[in-house]
Amino acid sequence: MKKILSALCITTFLISISGCSGNGNSSAEYANSSVSQVVSVEESADSDNKSLYGDERLSEKDGLLVYTDDLYTISADSTKWTIGNVENYDISFSYMGEGNDTATLAGVQTVGPIEDMTVNMIGEQLADTLNSLDENYSVKQSKPIKAGDNDAYYIETEMVMSGITLITTQTVQLHGNNAYILHTIRATDASDEAKAALDTVASSFTFTE
């Protein structure tokens, strides 16, 4: 179970942020396009909410893009973020900025069911695997934390991709039979506005049950 969990987490994470082909895009634009494909927002004629690509868990209300799963919710300012599509993520938000701010992304991944593993065991295993990838990838922080009232494990990594340095974070929490991983990505030189917007999205992640 441990090896399967680690492989799933790492493979999905690398799919999300790795890979560069000489396609003529700027580094930040390519970094962003590799993690998120923007999809359209469809307005509902008889509701204040908007249904996004046919998924009733997604809505737009009071200026927020809101994702409500069975056990958690997360939201983003609709004037600053678009909905992304990252494989094996429940939901991702892509920042609508300029320059290296376009590499800013937040997303949630559900992994499970989990058996016989604590949140610290999952986090430590994930951190060890990330730290062993290659010389362009290094773990800067790896520690147990509190996310509200919940035990969590926080990992911060730095990697070089397409000529820009990215800071990625993974916050792991256990809830019910699953692990929930909140991912964030931004350039080291992201603007203060992009950093604040990313923090706001990350802090909106809450369990509803």
Side-chain angles (χ1 to χ4, degrees):
M1 177 63 191
K2 293 181 181 180
K3 292 182 178 179
I4 293 174
L5 175 63
S6 182
L8 176 59
C9 292
I10 298 304
T11 301
T12 301
F13 186 64
L14 290 179
I15 287 172
S16 304
I17 61 176
S18 66
C20 177
S21 60
N23 58 3
N25 292 343
S26 73
S27 297
E29 287 172 343
Y30 188 84
N32 185 57
S33 67
S34 71
V35 296
S36 178
Q37 298 175 349
V38 176
V39 297
S40 63
V41 176
E42 298 178 3
E43 295 193 22
S44 171
D46 57 357
S47 174
D48 290 335
N49 293 350
K50 297 177 182 179
S51 178
L52 308 183
Y53 53 90
D55 190 337
E56 294 303 320
R57 294 170 296 183
L58 284 162
S59 63
E60 183 174 355
K61 187 175 183 180
D62 298 329
L64 292 176
L65 298 169
V66 182
Y67 181 87
T68 305
D69 196 61
D70 291 341
L71 294 178
Y72 72 86
T73 185
I74 187 170
S75 61
D77 186 335
S78 61
T79 66
K80 298 178 180 179
W81 298 86
T82 58
I83 300 297
N85 183 17
V86 179
E87 185 177 0
N88 292 328
Y89 277 28
D90 304 344
I91 181 65
S92 62
F93 298 108
S94 180
Y95 187 70
M96 297 185 292
E98 298 180 353
N100 285 355
D101 281 355
T102 62
T104 307
L105 182 134
V108 180
Q109 179 185 10
T110 301
V111 181
I114 304 298
E115 296 178 359
D116 302 324
M117 295 185 73
T118 66
V119 68
N120 286 359
M121 292 168 64
I122 297 170
E124 289 169 0
Q125 187 177 100
L126 181 57
D128 287 344
T129 306
L130 289 169
N131 209 31
S132 66
L133 291 176
D134 59 49
E135 66 277 6
N136 292 322
Y137 213 108
S138 60
V139 173
K140 299 300 183 183
Q141 294 188 59
S142 175
K143 59 185 180 181
I145 63 169
K146 281 287 188 179
D149 295 329
N150 299 319
D151 291 331
Y153 199 93
Y154 175 82
I155 306 165
E156 181 178 306
T157 65
E158 189 174 286
M159 67 171 294
V160 178
M161 174 184 165
S162 303
I164 64 174
T165 303
L166 299 174
I167 294 175
T168 72
T169 71
Q170 299 82 45
T171 303
V172 184
Q173 298 184 62
L174 282 176
H175 195 74
N177 295 323
N178 294 324
Y180 295 87
I181 307 175
L182 174 64
H183 297 277
T184 72
I185 304 170
R186 68 169 177 84
T188 54
D189 60 352
S191 68
D192 290 341
E193 182 180 1
K195 293 177 185 176
L198 187 59
D199 288 342
T200 299
V201 174
S203 65
S204 75
F205 176 83
T206 55
F207 291 108
T208 55
E209 293 185 11

